[in-house]
Amino acid sequence: MSSPAPLRIVSIAHPAVSNAAGRLRYRYLASRNDIELHLVLPTVWKEFGRTVMAEPRQEIGYTTHVLPIRLPHAGPMNWYLHFYPGLRRLLRKLDPDVIHLWEEPWSIVALQAQILRARAGLVLEVDQNILKRLPPPFEAIRKYLLRHTDHVLSRSPDATAVVRARGYRGPVTPIGYGVDLTTFTPAPKSAAERNRLFRIGYVGRLVEEKGLDDALDALAKSGAAVSLSIMGEGPHEAKLRQRVQQLALSERVSFRGWGPPAEVASFLQSLDALVLLTRTTNAVREQFGRVIIEAQACGVPVIGSTCGAIPDVVGDGGWIVPERDPARLSELLNAIAQDPALLQAKGLAARANVQARFTYDAVATAVDTACRAAAEAVGHCKR
C-alpha cells in the first residue's frame, strides 16, 4: 500500500528575501518528509529606506520561486500594495493543498492569493497588534480576507484580538519568531571584558519610539558605572547624539551602524544586558522584538519596557520596567551592576527561554500545525 502524498504548501513571504533570517524557518519545515514546500518571494524588496535584492537560492529540501512584483513601495501604504503578476500561472501549475501567507490580511498580495486559491486552504500569519480602522479599500480587504481564512498564525494575544475584532472566527495557533542558534550563541568574555564598565546595548532602528532617550536619562541618573552601546541607524540618531553631549555621556555611549547577522551576534555577545524600551503610541506597539531572542540566544538577558509583546517574549530571561520611566530603569541598572550572580542567573534563563520557545523548529511546528488544520478544513488533509 502506497503512502499518502505529502502536503503541498505554497508560502508567500516577502521577509524571505534574506537567506540569513527569513528563509531559515523553511529549512526546518521542509525537513519533514510529509511536506512538499514551495516558497514564493520577490526579486526586489523595499522597506525602511533600504532596497534588498533576493539573495541567491540556497534551499535544502524545498523549491524557491523568485518572482517580480508590481508596486513594491508606493505612497503612505508603503509595501502593502505589491502583488505578483506571475502568481496565477504558478498556482495553477503547483495546485497546492494550502497557501500560507506571511503577509498582513489587508495587503493586495493577500487578496490576490485568496482570489487565486482554488481548492487550497488559506493560512494567514499576523503581527498587527493595534486595533485601528484602515483607509479604503484596505479595511474592506481585511474583513473579506478574515472571513475566508481557514487558520491564523498569531504573533501575540493582541494580534489575535485584532483579527477577532475584525471578523475572524476560526482557529488560531500562536507563533513566535525563530533564532539561528548557530550564529547567536553564548561566547566567553575575556578578563578585560569582565573588568570593564557594566555594558548595556541596543540593536535596531534609531527612532524616537524605541525609547533610547529614556536609556540616556537613566545612565545620567545612575550611580553605577554603566555604559551604553548602540547598533543601528535611523532618523533619530542626530538628536540622540545631541542628547549624549547635553548629558555629558560621550565617554559612556557609543554608536555604530548596521552589520550582518554575524556582526550583530558578536555585538550582542559583548553586552551584559540588552535594552528594548519601546514606547506605546497610537501607531506603535511592539509586535515581538526579534532582537530580544537574538540577545537571549547569546545568553544576554534583556531589560524591556511594558510595551506590547515585550514582557511575554522576555519571559524569565530579563527584567521589565515601565515605559518612559528613566528613574526606575536607573534603579534597576544600579541593582544589576552590583549583583553579578543575578546577572549570570538571568543570562542562563534567557538562553533557556529561547531554547524552549523560539527555535526554528518551534516555528516550523506551528506552521505545520496550522497548514494541516487548514487542509483538513477544506477537505484534503491527505491526497
Side-chain angles (χ1 to χ4, degrees), residues 92-206:
R92 282 181 175 176
K93 175 183 176 182
L94 296 177
D95 186 26
D97 297 312
V98 180
I99 297 174
H100 162 256
L101 284 158
W102 192 359
E103 311 283 353
E104 288 290 355
W106 60 84
S107 62
I108 298 300
V109 68
L111 176 62
Q112 182 189 23
Q114 158 59 22
I115 292 171
L116 300 177
R117 66 188 278 190
R119 69 184 192 89
L122 188 67
V123 174
L124 272 176
E125 189 166 331
V126 297
D127 290 88
Q128 177 56 256
N129 60 353
I130 299 177
L131 180 59
K132 55 186 176 182
R133 182 168 294 278
L134 302 173
F138 300 99
E139 186 63 44
I141 291 172
R142 174 165 62 176
K143 289 181 178 179
Y144 172 74
L145 256 294
L146 292 174
R147 286 198 306 269
H148 292 85
T149 294
D150 299 298
H151 205 104
V152 160
L153 285 160
S154 176
R155 202 76 63 203
S156 68
D158 286 339
T160 300
V162 169
V163 295
R164 293 291 191 206
R166 287 298 179 256
Y168 180 67
R169 297 291 180 263
V172 174
T173 296
I175 187 170
Y177 282 113
V179 60
D180 182 4
L181 297 180
T182 61
T183 299
F184 295 93
T185 189
K189 288 184 169 58
S190 66
E193 287 178 317
R194 291 194 298 270
N195 293 327
R196 57 161 166 69
L197 295 180
F198 177 71
R199 187 181 187 190
I200 61 174
Y202 169 84
V203 177
R205 291 185 299 131
L206 304 187

Side-chain angles (χ1 to χ4, degrees), residues 24-347:
L24 285 176
R25 52 158 52 187
Y26 294 102
R27 188 174 302 173
Y28 284 79
L29 186 62
S31 68
R32 303 174 187 216
N33 57 16
D34 54 354
I35 288 176
E36 179 189 330
L37 179 63
H38 295 263
L39 173 60
V40 178
L41 57 100
T43 54
V44 180
W45 186 251
K46 297 183 179 182
E47 187 170 301
F48 301 128
R50 293 180 289 171
T51 299
V52 183
M53 304 296 294
E55 295 183 15
R57 303 179 188 185
Q58 297 180 0
E59 64 264 27
I60 299 175
Y62 66 95
T63 303
T64 302
H65 306 269
V66 181
L67 303 180
I69 57 174
R70 300 276 175 84
L71 301 178
H73 194 281
M77 290 311 295
N78 296 317
W79 46 87
Y80 297 117
L81 296 176
H82 81 279
F83 64 96
Y84 294 87
L87 187 60
R88 180 189 297 271
R89 179 180 299 177
L90 180 65
L91 292 179
R92 282 181 175 176
K93 175 183 176 182
L94 296 177
D95 186 26
D97 297 312
V98 180
I99 297 174
H100 162 256
L101 284 158
W102 192 359
E103 311 283 353
E104 288 290 355
W106 60 84
S107 62
I108 298 300
V109 68
L111 176 62
Q112 182 189 23
Q114 158 59 22
I115 292 171
L116 300 177
R117 66 188 278 190
R119 69 184 192 89
L122 188 67
V123 174
L124 272 176
E125 189 166 331
V126 297
D127 290 88
Q128 177 56 256
N129 60 353
I130 299 177
L131 180 59
K132 55 186 176 182
R133 182 168 294 278
L134 302 173
F138 300 99
E139 186 63 44
I141 291 172
R142 174 165 62 176
K143 289 181 178 179
Y144 172 74
L145 256 294
L146 292 174
R147 286 198 306 269
H148 292 85
T149 294
D150 299 298
H151 205 104
V152 160
L153 285 160
S154 176
R155 202 76 63 203
S156 68
D158 286 339
T160 300
V162 169
V163 295
R164 293 291 191 206
R166 287 298 179 256
Y168 180 67
R169 297 291 180 263
V172 174
T173 296
I175 187 170
Y177 282 113
V179 60
D180 182 4
L181 297 180
T182 61
T183 299
F184 295 93
T185 189
K189 288 184 169 58
S190 66
E193 287 178 317
R194 291 194 298 270
N195 293 327
R196 57 161 166 69
L197 295 180
F198 177 71
R199 187 181 187 190
I200 61 174
Y202 169 84
V203 177
R205 291 185 299 131
L206 304 187
V207 293
E208 185 175 0
E209 294 85 355
K210 293 300 183 179
L212 284 168
D213 300 277
D214 297 327
L216 295 177
D217 289 345
L219 250 67
K221 296 175 182 292
S222 175
V226 183
S227 67
L228 171 63
S229 297
I230 297 172
M231 185 182 206
E233 299 168 6
H236 197 50
E237 181 174 350
K239 290 186 177 180
L240 288 171
R241 289 182 178 274
Q242 183 180 19
R243 186 65 175 155
V244 168
Q245 295 293 330
Q246 292 172 344
L247 295 173
L249 293 173
S250 298
E251 294 185 0
R252 297 168 59 190
V253 178
S254 62
F255 292 83
R256 61 179 292 183
W258 294 114
E263 287 185 19
V264 174
S266 179
F267 176 83
L268 291 170
Q269 289 162 352
S270 72
L271 304 178
D272 295 304
L274 178 85
V275 292
L276 185 60
L277 305 169
T278 310
R279 300 163 167 176
T280 301
T281 70
N282 289 336
V284 174
R285 181 182 295 160
E286 195 67 61
Q287 294 179 345
F288 186 83
R290 193 178 310 194
V291 70
I292 295 172
I293 61 174
E294 291 175 343
Q296 290 188 334
C298 295
V300 176
V302 176
I303 302 171
S305 72
T306 51
C307 181
I310 291 176
D312 177 66
V313 177
V314 170
D316 293 331
W319 304 265
I320 301 300
V321 295
E323 297 176 34
R324 303 174 185 269
D325 196 339
R328 288 285 296 276
L329 177 58
S330 177
E331 293 172 3
L332 177 61
L333 293 176
N334 290 341
I336 299 172
Q338 297 171 11
D339 195 343
L342 173 62
L343 188 65
Q344 183 180 20
K346 283 291 187 181

